[in-house]
Amino acid sequence: MPPISQTLGEFSERFMLLAALTYTVAFIVFTLDLVKSSKRIRAVEENLAASQQAEQRVLVGADMTGGSSPRGGAARLAADTTADDSMDYSGRRKLARIAVVLTVVAALIHAAGVISRGLATNRVPWGNMYEFCTTGALVVVVVFLLALIRKDLRFLGTFVVGLTLVMLCAATIGFFTPAGNVVPALQSYWLIIHVSVAVAASALFTLTFAMSVLQLIQTSRVRKLAAGGVDRTPFMRLVPSALSLENLSYRINAFAFVMWTFTLMAGAIWAEEAWGRYWGWDVKEVWTFVIWVVFAGYLHARATRGWTGTRAAWLCIIGYLCIVFNFTIVNIYFSGLHSYA
Amino acid sequence: MTPDTPDGGKPDVALPALGLLGSLRWGWTQLTSMRTALFLLLLLAVAAVPGSLFPQRPANPAVVTQYIQDNPDTGPILDWFQLFDVYSSVWFSAIYLLLFVSLIGCVIPRALAHGRAMKSKPPRTPRKLSRMPIYGTLVLPASTQSGGSPITAASAAADAAAMLKKRGYRVDLRDTDSAQPSVGAERGFLKEVGNLVFHFSLIGVLVSVAVGGLFGYSGQKIIVEGDSFVNTLVGYDTFTPGANFTAGQLEPYSLRLDNFDVQFDRQETHYGQPLDFTANVTTKDGPDAEEEEQVLKVNSPLNIGGTGIYLVGNGYAPVVTVRDGNGDIAMQGPVVTIPQDGLFTSLIVIKAPDAAPDQLGFVGFFLPTAFVGEDGVAFSRDPDPFNPQLNLNSYYGDLGLDDGEPRSVYVLDTEDLTELNSRTSDEGGIVLGAGQTYDLPDGKGSISFDGLDRYIAVDIRHDPGQLGALVFSSLALAGLTASLFIGRRRVWVRTGTHADGRTMVEYGLLARGEDHRLTGEGAAIEKALRTQWLVDEPVEEQNERPGAPGSTTFEHASHQAGNGKES
Ligand code: HEM
């Protein structure tokens, strides 16, 4: 086995640190953008409302019987309170641009960290929890940045970059492992196939998790506004309507579900090769199965009357929590049970 | 599946009519409804969880026994609820069997309906195409030519049909003699086929697993360097037959462990972590077959005689000689030890039932690289045998091996034995370095540490359902992909001639199920028609008409499956 390069390993650690710092700045700028943009939108709206009111007075005077249908009213309410469904935002958002550039820079440094780790160890950089976390965080960011090319998802920036930071911190503080070889059980090309797809699927589920949370907030916010309440979360104006969020996250979830199905199958094939049985209800297998079934439930929910919207979003969130549980608690606590055995 | 009945085409069920048949039918309709499927799926997810919280018998029978012993109050109750056998429990089986009955009841009618749909013609052209979520019109000037001849309503319809056919639609040209000929077209049948294949394949996976359980078998064997394993029932240490297993299924191949190489990491940060396990073995397909040298490693099993042989464990087997009080050799050979940690501090039990006048027993530790700590307790500092040492306590008396009760070779029940010496006794325990001999007190005999072998633990399995499981799960994956990513849509084109000689063309698109690419398809169709007839895009014509009466917006169009009521 070729020797581990400690120097490269140390470089990798420094890159990670630098990336985390850059992400922190990006996170702050994304948050500032949310605050500032929602303030500006409010100002614009107040202006608009003032002029509209003047107009309306004229209209009412002209047509006493006129009045908008309730449906149109609700639609307008939704349109007024959320960003455009096509996610095209009018107006420049300078801060958001800076934040995206910062995120790109951070991702490049992050990628250098991941790649140098792989070079240092002469293998794919996802052989332990530290590497799984750092590489997974990179995939989350890259998927997010790629999605930005097609859709203006900058409203997700705070959440995605925030989650990335959490993952990087968890990796360096909680799971830190110096660059090294892996045990024989992991020396298999299935490590490359199985784990990489699992990481990618988890990254996609991370995005849809953030979107589902926003969807729930948006739903309850619009409901409250419709009932005449005050807007406590004005930054949600930058976020598309609950329906657009749901539809986009469905598309991503469908794709991620196929990947998760593949992860499950590849894991079974690997288990057969390493342990002689393709399915043994090992703790890890149980939770991978549970996650799969929850997201199968999610897909079914989308086709079941009364289960779309809020309930589907909850299923997506539960599924993601299971993924987090599978990665953290199962790996840390349950493996302890294993060594007891 | 259809836009108007999102719960799989089942109408909402009213209160059941009286009567047994009615109730049965009502129950069946309920069971095969989408809502029940969803409920059972979520229930299955919840039901799988306890299996990860409690030790499970199939994986760790000893741990379960220990758990029940340690928790005498709750243990038996948990056991009664089958929480130590979750995946073969009555309740878990009930859930997945119900789910699969529901699945069959759901999928078979859908397969039949889809079979009919695939044979029937594309649906008739709606009277008002403008009601379609995607709708557009083209106007061809009277002078337009197609292939050298002037365009008529009929030829335009034929052109559209040809174009749609090229795009992969099944097309039906209709009313060609009338003033308003039209084309009905449909594509994406593979979406539903994929969905059906996926659900049927799940049944296939379940059946394959069952076949493996019925006709397969598995066993474990520990093989010390130089020893052989023969694939017969007596050759196994433990053996778990499937329900339909017969001993005749075993092919009498043999396998000898020539030597076992272990390599440990010597890098500072991962010192002592295993790097490589390689077993060099010699196999024979049968008693009279040729010998063949093979390499067995983790992640690279051997396949012989319909079985897979997997390297699942290894350890040290110190070679010891025990002499009894009469000076005769009572036991000689390698003794398999059980590693307790990554440094191969290993538990060892030596039994010498042939010793006379008293049977002898030893319990203690084998340390590959012994080192004495400040508290005087020896421990292992390295997994490699740099300073191998045996630390033992000795006993004499009746080992209890003669009463026919099966006893583990790895446990010495010291209750009925008398201690000869131990770490806490005056003489101290036995400490044996390589090549050393220790004389037991009271002339009871001696023990010597003559050498060191390694052993491997292998799992041997035959699973006739394995290939089926692989095939069906691959089919499921393919079906799932088709089902999720193929768009199923319908297109209609209607043509007519204006009084002034212009040819009018209108078209409408409708998706069945999720289809976010419907708008794109509408645009592509319009573009194809324009190129075919070489008409420019007039400014006022628009593909999407959000404001038009009776039309639905794009968001509606792409999400037919009844979503969006929530927001
Ligand atoms: C073992 C249990 C089941 C699993 C794991 C499962 C899984 C799935 C998955 C992953 C999908 C989405 C992919 C696709 O559209 O093909 C799906 C769709 C579907 N399933 Fe199931 N299913 C199960 C049982 C059932 C049952 C019992 C029914 C009928 C009551 C059913 C009816 C449907 C229908 C109608 C769709 C299409 C939904 C749509 O239009 O999006 N499934 N199923």
Side-chain angles (χ1 to χ4, degrees):
Chain A
M1 225 157 280
I4 304 294
S5 162
Q6 292 300 337
T7 334
L8 262 179
E10 275 161 29
F11 265 119
S12 164
E13 282 156 34
R14 261 174 235 158
F15 279 134
M16 297 289 183
L17 205 67
L18 201 59
L21 285 177
T22 320
Y23 281 129
T24 311
V25 183
F27 175 78
I28 294 170
V29 180
F30 264 126
T31 314
L32 282 180
D33 166 62
L34 276 191
V35 174
K36 210 174 145 195
S37 298
S38 60
K39 258 193 201 140
R40 200 182 53 224
I41 290 181
R42 190 184 290 179
V44 169
E45 272 175 359
E46 270 159 14
N47 265 342
L48 223 83
S51 58
Q52 251 172 11
Q53 242 166 14
E55 225 172 276
Q56 215 144 41
R57 242 172 274 135
V58 179
L59 276 177
V60 171
D63 182 8
M64 300 294 283
T65 53
S68 59
S69 69
R71 194 160 174 265
R76 197 172 324 130
L77 182 73
D80 283 355
T81 45
T82 51
D84 191 344
D85 278 354
S86 63
M87 298 175 205
D88 290 332
Y89 299 88
S90 40
R92 289 241 180 113
R93 285 159 67 194
K94 209 166 163 194
L95 280 176
R97 265 195 202 181
I98 299 175
V100 171
V101 171
L102 279 170
T103 311
V104 171
V105 172
L108 288 176
I109 304 172
H110 191 167
V114 169
I115 292 170
S116 51
R117 175 80 175 196
L119 292 176
T121 51
N122 310 300
R123 58 177 169 79
V124 287
W126 48 80
N128 52 46
M129 300 241 317
Y130 169 77
E131 292 169 0
F132 194 92
C133 231
T134 46
T135 306
L138 179 65
V139 177
V140 172
V141 174
V142 168
V143 168
F144 172 65
L145 289 174
L146 286 180
L148 276 186
I149 299 174
R150 309 247 343 235
K151 272 211 176 349
D152 190 351
L153 295 179
R154 286 181 295 180
F155 63 90
L156 274 180
T158 310
F159 304 90
V160 172
V161 175
L163 273 171
T164 306
L165 265 175
V166 170
M167 285 171 85
L168 275 184
C169 290
T172 23
I173 298 167
F175 311 133
F176 181 71
T177 320
N181 291 311
V182 288
V183 295
L186 290 180
Q187 293 166 16
S188 162
Y189 55 93
W190 285 108
L191 174 68
I192 306 171
I193 303 169
H194 169 73
V195 183
S196 63
V197 177
V199 172
S202 306
L204 291 177
F205 284 133
T206 305
L207 289 184
T208 57
F209 164 72
M211 285 159 72
S212 295
V213 172
L214 289 176
Q215 180 193 334
L216 290 181
I217 299 176
Q218 194 70 290
T219 306
S220 80
R221 170 172 172 266
V222 170
R223 195 178 297 139
K224 260 191 217 129
L225 285 180
V230 279
D231 196 353
R232 291 239 172 72
T233 44
F235 71 87
M236 290 296 290
R237 275 161 216 252
L238 291 174
V239 178
S241 74
L243 181 59
S244 334
L245 281 172
E246 183 189 347
N247 287 328
L248 185 59
S249 61
Y250 168 76
R251 277 161 62 188
I252 302 178
N253 272 335
F255 195 69
F257 181 76
V258 173
M259 291 167 82
W260 195 258
T261 310
F262 179 80
T263 304
L264 195 84
M265 285 171 54
I269 298 174
W270 190 4
E272 193 279 326
E273 223 172 81
W275 302 321
R277 86 287 184 292
Y278 58 87
W279 198 263
W281 295 109
D282 168 73
V283 187
K284 203 83 196 170
E285 290 169 347
V286 171
W287 279 93
T288 306
F289 174 76
V290 168
I291 292 161
W292 188 79
V293 175
V294 169
F295 279 102
Y298 166 87
L299 292 181
H300 274 203
R302 288 270 305 176
T304 308
R305 203 177 316 198
W307 272 84
T308 52
T310 309
R311 287 184 184 177
W314 275 113
L315 282 180
C316 175
I317 292 172
I318 291 172
Y320 186 71
L321 293 182
C322 289
I323 291 176
V324 173
F325 184 84
N326 193 21
F327 181 67
T328 54
I329 310 286
V330 170
N331 277 0
I332 300 164
Y333 174 71
F334 285 70
S335 63
L337 256 185
H338 260 262
S339 54
Y340 164 65
Chain B
M1 281 296 290
T2 53
D4 38 337
T5 54
D7 49 0
K10 301 277 181 310
D12 268 359
V13 194
L15 275 183
L18 290 176
L20 181 67
L21 211 66
S23 314
L24 279 178
R25 185 170 301 150
W26 180 81
W28 179 248
T29 316
Q30 287 295 300
L31 181 63
T32 55
S33 81
M34 200 70 178
R35 190 159 312 197
T36 310
L38 174 59
F39 172 72
L40 288 172
L41 266 175
L42 297 181
L43 200 61
L44 185 68
V46 174
V49 172
S52 71
L53 305 179
F54 300 104
Q56 297 294 297
R57 273 214 182 82
N60 283 313
V63 179
V64 173
T65 313
Q66 188 66 41
Y67 186 95
I68 296 177
Q69 258 170 30
D70 295 348
N71 301 278
D73 298 332
T74 52
I77 301 176
L78 295 176
D79 202 13
W80 191 83
F81 282 107
Q82 299 178 304
L83 285 162
F84 303 118
D85 301 279
V86 167
Y87 306 106
S88 53
S89 68
V90 176
W91 44 275
F92 190 79
S93 314
I95 294 171
Y96 76 75
L97 288 178
L98 264 181
L99 182 57
F100 274 88
V101 171
S102 165
L103 189 151
I104 293 169
C106 176
V107 170
I108 287 182
R110 272 181 46 199
L112 296 178
H114 190 58
R116 281 193 299 273
M118 279 168 82
K119 272 191 233 128
S120 61
K121 286 187 174 165
R124 61 173 193 81
T125 315
R127 228 151 34 91
K128 283 200 171 162
L129 273 185
S130 55
R131 288 250 164 94
M132 288 303 120
I134 305 282
Y135 171 75
T137 56
L138 283 98
V139 180
L140 314 183
S143 59
T144 315
Q145 303 270 314
S146 171
S149 45
I151 286 238
T152 62
S155 79
D159 285 348
M163 181 275 294
L164 285 169
K165 195 160 200 165
K166 232 201 246 155
R167 291 185 71 80
Y169 285 82
R170 268 181 351 129
V171 296
D172 180 41
L173 196 57
R174 47 189 68 147
D175 307 326
T176 38
D177 334 325
S178 75
Q180 293 200 330
S182 69
V183 183
E186 193 164 17
R187 65 162 293 165
F189 283 95
L190 276 180
K191 183 187 184 73
E192 181 73 356
V193 172
N195 185 300
L196 295 170
V197 166
F198 169 76
H199 284 91
F200 276 118
S201 300
L202 292 182
I203 303 172
V205 172
L206 189 72
V207 170
S208 305
V209 172
V211 166
L214 284 177
F215 300 99
Y217 57 83
S218 69
Q220 284 80 37
K221 176 67 181 174
I222 280 178
I223 313 170
V224 179
E225 281 172 314
D227 280 359
S228 292
F229 159 75
V230 181
N231 189 31
T232 54
L233 269 185
V234 291
Y236 285 91
D237 294 336
T238 58
F239 189 78
T240 318
N244 281 22
F245 169 82
T246 51
Q249 271 178 272
L250 296 180
E251 287 190 31
Y253 65 79
S254 66
L255 174 148
R256 185 178 72 233
L257 178 62
D258 299 324
N259 73 316
F260 182 59
D261 291 333
V262 183
Q263 198 192 335
F264 292 102
D265 205 337
R266 291 301 165 205
Q267 180 205 325
E268 216 173 302
T269 48
H270 294 71
Y271 200 82
Q273 188 180 294
L275 263 191
D276 186 52
F277 298 131
T278 301
N280 295 303
V281 298
T282 303
T283 58
K284 268 168 55 167
D285 286 348
D288 310 314
E290 288 271 305
E291 286 199 341
E292 193 182 344
E293 286 187 2
Q294 301 205 55
V295 174
L296 172 64
K297 289 168 81 95
V298 182
N299 275 317
S300 123
L302 297 180
N303 286 300
I304 316 175
T307 66
I309 301 174
Y310 307 86
L311 177 58
V312 294
N314 70 83
Y316 288 104
V319 182
V320 295
T321 305
V322 177
R323 288 176 194 276
D324 63 14
N326 301 338
D328 298 327
I329 293 179
M331 197 238 97
Q332 187 167 42
V335 181
V336 169
T337 66
I338 304 175
Q340 305 293 304
D341 58 25
L343 295 170
F344 282 82
T345 304
S346 307
L347 203 63
I348 181 168
V349 167
I350 304 167
K351 295 181 185 180
D354 295 340
D358 293 302
Q359 295 183 338
L360 296 172
F362 305 82
V363 188
F365 283 98
F366 166 74
L367 310 173
T369 302
F371 187 82
V372 180
E374 276 177 18
D375 54 359
V377 180
F379 62 95
S380 181
R381 280 230 293 207
D382 199 281
D384 265 327
F386 294 127
N387 180 26
Q389 195 181 74
L390 284 169
N391 286 253
L392 301 169
N393 299 343
S394 62
Y395 300 87
Y396 71 94
D398 182 6
L399 294 179
L401 295 176
D402 308 324
D403 56 8
E405 229 179 281
R407 279 175 209 271
S408 166
V409 289
Y410 304 115
V411 179
L412 185 68
D413 187 358
T414 54
E415 211 165 287
D416 300 329
L417 297 176
T418 314
E419 183 182 290
L420 260 177
N421 67 346
S422 76
R423 218 166 62 74
T424 48
S425 70
D426 295 342
E427 294 94 346
I430 303 169
V431 177
L432 274 181
Q436 292 178 342
T437 300
Y438 183 92
D439 288 322
L440 297 172
D442 310 336
K444 296 277 185 204
S446 70
I447 178 167
S448 49
F449 180 14
D450 305 330
L452 190 59
D453 282 338
R454 290 184 197 261
Y455 72 85
I456 60 171
V458 291
D459 269 14
I460 297 151
R461 269 168 204 269
H462 170 65
D463 184 349
Q466 196 162 294
L467 184 65
L470 180 65
V471 169
F472 281 115
S473 53
S474 306
L475 270 178
L477 185 65
L480 180 69
T481 311
S483 166
L484 287 173
F485 304 125
I486 291 179
R488 187 170 176 197
R489 25 186 111 107
R490 292 170 173 175
V491 179
W492 294 276
V493 181
R494 185 184 280 121
T495 59
T497 314
H498 201 266
D500 61 12
R502 289 180 300 167
T503 307
M504 318 295 285
V505 179
E506 61 171 350
Y507 64 87
L509 276 80
L510 179 69
R512 303 194 65 194
E514 306 275 346
D515 188 356
H516 64 273
R517 288 177 302 244
L518 193 67
T519 326
E521 178 73 3
I525 284 177
E526 161 142 356
K527 191 161 166 243
L529 289 176
R530 285 193 189 288
T531 357
Q532 180 152 17
W533 295 319
L534 298 171
V535 280
D536 298 329
E537 192 152 353
V539 187
E540 72 272 18
E541 296 289 352
Q542 291 230 316
N543 193 29
E544 275 175 56
R545 311 151 318 118
S551 82
T552 42
T553 61
F554 160 54
E555 274 306 327
H556 255 110
S558 35
H559 305 104
Q560 296 286 328
N563 306 305
K565 276 148 294 176
E566 296 278 333
S567 24

